[in-house]
Amino acid sequence: MFQLLRRRLRGRKTATDIQPFSRSPAEIPYRQAETIVTLVPPERCRSNFLGYPVQDSPFVRILTRDDSGYEGSALETFYQTFQPETVGELLGLKTSAIASLPAMSAVMPWWNRHPEQRLEQVAVKSGNGRFLGKEAIKLGASEQTDFGWQYYGPVSTPVGKMEYERQVSVFRSIREQGFRPTSATQIHGEFLVSGEDWVWVNIGGKHRLNSLVALGGPDIQVSAKGKYGPVIIRRSESSIWPNVQNGLFDEAEALELFDRILAGRGPEMKTQ
């Protein structure tokens, strides 16, 4: 009998990763999540951080208005019009502890990423003392003279032109050859859910998404793979969002941000 019991115990799989929680087991998916791949209508898609419907993006407008170049385009105008210096100006925060930090260090209340980690992930200080997106460096931007990031202004003229040309190039490729993803998660993001209402927020594959929206398809294949937390963020769980629990966001302002994105309301514009 004991030999049989020992054999059964040896055959069992042992837990190797215990996931702790402080208030509710619902916290666990904010640290580890499964991937979702599905189809969503363009009007349910939102821009990361900014929260406006993707079809209103300046990147989509340059594709649908047939601008002849970066100068004078909707993208240049956007970079000149929206120039947040802090996370507070970017996300519309006033009282949260994160509000005074550099805009490029922005994280969302429901992410499991800290501002210092985020800034190190996406930016470097260029030779002129301003932040420059690491992705722009990969595309040829100068670490000595260029500055800025694709999400908002200000950007140096070379970075602005680079983003314009990159978007137009991806659009033309998809228009002429079709969308041929090498992975089901090339266009990825996260779902925000409040009761029966929901939106999908784009995080990666932005230029592909913009192109597909501009081309006018009825539904777009997207994914949610839990890059910074759960694949579905529920408004009702705001008290356990990681950057609410650690005090970076006031819960009230975190909910205001969630609601603004859900409604598709972009941030207030600030010019330099």
Side-chain angles (χ1 to χ4, degrees):
M1 177 178 178
F2 288 107
Q3 289 179 340
L4 177 60
L5 178 60
R6 283 195 293 270
R7 284 198 297 270
R8 287 178 177 175
L9 290 174
R10 283 199 298 268
R12 289 179 181 175
K13 293 182 179 179
T14 57
T16 58
D17 186 15
I18 303 300
Q19 295 288 337
F21 59 89
S22 59
R23 294 181 57 181
S24 166
E27 298 169 20
I28 296 172
Y30 282 87
R31 307 187 194 101
Q32 182 175 352
E34 299 295 329
T35 297
I36 294 173
V37 179
T38 188
L39 298 173
V40 299
E43 61 269 21
R44 291 279 187 171
C45 298
R46 298 289 184 267
S47 171
N48 194 23
F49 297 125
L50 307 183
Y52 48 62
V54 171
Q55 59 260 42
D56 295 337
S57 161
F59 287 92
V60 173
R61 294 203 300 272
I62 64 174
L63 304 176
T64 57
R65 294 182 182 181
D66 195 28
D67 289 323
S68 58
Y70 175 66
E71 290 83 0
S73 69
L75 185 58
E76 183 186 44
T77 299
F78 172 73
Y79 284 148
Q80 292 173 346
T81 303
F82 186 54
Q83 301 185 353
E85 295 179 358
T86 65
V87 175
E89 291 174 355
L90 173 63
L91 300 182
L93 309 174
K94 293 185 174 70
T95 60
S96 294
I98 195 176
S100 62
L101 298 181
M104 277 200 194
S105 68
V107 294
M108 303 307 276
W110 44 85
W111 286 5
N112 57 21
R113 189 64 55 96
H114 192 274
E116 291 180 2
Q117 296 173 307
R118 179 65 175 173
L119 189 61
E120 183 178 357
Q121 174 193 1
V122 303
V124 298
K125 272 282 186 76
S126 63
N128 55 28
R130 307 175 81 169
F131 286 113
L132 171 65
K134 289 183 177 180
E135 193 170 4
I137 296 172
K138 293 178 182 178
L139 296 172
S142 168
E143 290 190 53
Q144 296 303 312
T145 58
D146 285 323
F147 58 88
W149 198 24
Q150 60 179 292
Y151 282 107
Y152 47 79
V155 299
S156 60
T157 299
V159 170
K161 288 182 176 179
M162 192 180 305
E163 286 299 335
Y164 179 94
E165 292 166 0
R166 181 186 184 191
Q167 180 62 81
V168 171
S169 175
V170 172
F171 173 74
R172 288 174 177 168
S173 174
I174 292 177
R175 183 182 60 186
E176 295 165 10
Q177 302 178 28
F179 181 47
R180 302 176 180 177
T182 57
S183 165
T185 60
Q186 275 190 342
I187 300 176
H188 64 88
E190 57 197 10
F191 287 96
L192 306 190
V193 176
S194 178
E196 297 297 313
D197 199 7
W198 63 272
V199 294
W200 174 83
V201 182
N202 180 219
I203 294 177
K206 293 174 281 294
H207 299 86
R208 296 179 178 91
L209 175 68
N210 295 333
S211 299
L212 293 172
V213 170
L215 289 169
D219 290 304
I220 297 172
Q221 179 180 306
V222 303
S223 67
K225 61 181 184 179
K227 185 173 183 180
Y228 301 126
V231 296
I232 296 177
I233 295 92
R234 295 176 176 85
R235 190 184 193 278
S236 60
E237 296 175 344
S238 59
S239 64
I240 61 170
W241 290 345
N243 288 325
V244 169
Q245 285 191 320
N246 64 21
L248 282 173
F249 284 83
D250 294 345
E251 186 174 358
E253 284 199 324
L255 286 169
E256 288 175 6
L257 175 60
F258 182 101
D259 292 342
R260 177 172 65 76
I261 296 173
L262 194 69
R265 297 193 306 269
E268 294 182 6
M269 297 297 163
K270 174 182 180 292
T271 55
Q272 296 290 79

